[in-house]
Amino acid sequence: IQKNITESKKFQNVLHQIAQGISSSIGSSFFKSLVAFIGNTLKIDCALIAQLSDDKKNAESLAIWKNGELIENIHYSIKNSPTELILENNETVHIENVHLQYPSDKFIKKLKFKHCLGRTLINSNGLPIGVIIILKREEIENLDFTKSVLEIFASRSSAEVERQQYVKELVAAKEEAERSNSLKSDFLAQMSHEIRTPVNTILSFSSLIKESLEGTLEDDLQD
């Protein structure tokens, strides 16, 4: 009995790659390694990972791999782009003739991509925080296998995006605390200076009054 185990071997290789190198890296290095690995493994034209803005109206790529190399990141509007449809679904979305469905998307139109496969990145609270997308001019081969690979990496990517957001919030909180502490120190120094001047004047005149009235004041007035 013959059995084609090519797809099974491919899948095992993907899992092996995840267990090594790629999954252990973090930050920009992780995203760059990931899109390059996806592009080379799945033989596609483009792979990208993008993070959503706070208002969920825009997205900014964290890494883009196109035709064998990493390219400069882009910032784009979610409206009238494949990302909009991907975010509306809780599963991997396959869009055919994507160049015709989204004619206003300059990135897709320029590179003439016809097929798109994407999945939403979800944080630990169940909220969308980004997308992972692959694009190809020709039909995507082994669609089920490709979906499985994308789902595996979507989970790991979600964790990394969320980790980066958490680190960013910690840094912002630290900077705010340092700024507040600096403002407090400046305020106290300024107040100390401003109060010292009139207080010294009061003390000087009080001393003069005390000397001029010495021996004529009762104890409570002396105090």
Side-chain angles (χ1 to χ4, degrees):
I1 300 175
Q2 289 185 331
K3 183 179 179 181
N4 191 336
I5 60 171
T6 303
E7 296 305 314
S8 176
K9 287 292 184 181
K10 274 188 178 181
F11 198 73
Q12 287 177 17
N13 181 52
V14 169
L15 294 175
H16 182 68
Q17 290 284 349
I18 294 173
Q20 296 181 335
I22 296 175
S23 202
S24 61
S25 60
I26 60 174
S28 177
S29 175
F30 166 75
F31 295 119
K32 289 178 179 178
S33 297
L34 178 54
V35 293
F37 175 71
I38 290 176
N40 289 317
T41 301
L42 301 179
K43 307 300 181 185
I44 56 173
D45 298 312
C46 181
L48 70 89
I49 298 174
Q51 181 176 356
L52 304 183
S53 60
D54 292 337
D55 59 9
K56 303 296 187 290
K57 292 182 179 179
N58 299 288
E60 184 169 4
S61 64
L62 299 170
I64 307 178
W65 182 93
K66 180 178 73 71
N67 296 331
E69 62 181 6
L70 293 166
I71 64 172
E72 187 176 350
N73 284 318
I74 60 173
H75 182 274
Y76 64 95
S77 172
I78 291 173
K79 189 173 180 60
N80 298 322
S81 77
T83 299
E84 185 175 28
L85 179 59
I86 292 168
L87 291 173
E88 293 174 357
N89 292 268
N90 293 322
E91 56 186 22
T92 305
V93 177
H94 180 211
I95 307 173
E96 297 183 83
N97 296 316
V98 65
H99 63 308
L100 299 178
Q101 293 194 46
Y102 299 95
S104 61
D105 191 310
K106 295 179 180 178
F107 184 73
I108 289 176
K109 183 179 180 180
K110 178 181 178 182
L111 299 171
K112 299 179 181 178
F113 293 125
K114 295 180 181 179
H115 293 268
C116 171
L117 196 66
R119 189 174 181 87
T120 303
L121 306 183
I122 305 294
N123 67 12
S124 55
N125 294 319
L127 300 174
I129 55 176
V131 289
I132 181 169
I133 298 172
I134 62 174
L135 298 159
K136 194 172 181 182
R137 295 184 183 89
E138 304 300 328
E139 187 174 352
I140 298 174
E141 300 176 3
N142 303 316
L143 189 59
D144 290 339
F145 168 75
T146 304
K147 284 183 177 181
S148 298
V149 172
L150 213 60
E151 288 165 7
I152 292 172
F153 282 123
S155 177
R156 174 63 179 87
S157 299
S158 298
E160 184 57 26
V161 171
E162 188 170 17
R163 187 196 68 81
Q164 284 196 329
Q165 289 179 336
Y166 180 67
V167 170
K168 185 178 179 180
E169 290 171 2
L170 283 179
V171 171
K174 177 177 178 291
E175 290 176 348
E176 179 62 25
E178 290 174 347
R179 191 175 75 87
S180 297
N181 189 56
S182 177
L183 288 174
K184 182 189 73 174
S185 298
D186 292 343
F187 171 76
L188 292 176
Q190 184 68 21
M191 288 303 297
S192 176
H193 173 74
E194 295 296 335
I195 292 173
R196 188 181 297 114
T197 301
V199 167
N200 284 336
T201 303
I202 293 170
L203 289 174
S204 296
F205 277 100
S206 297
S207 178
L208 290 174
I209 294 172
K210 182 179 178 181
E211 289 178 5
S212 65
L213 297 176
E214 189 172 6
T216 64
L217 297 176
E218 297 177 4
D219 290 342
D220 57 342
L221 292 178
Q222 186 75 20
D223 291 338

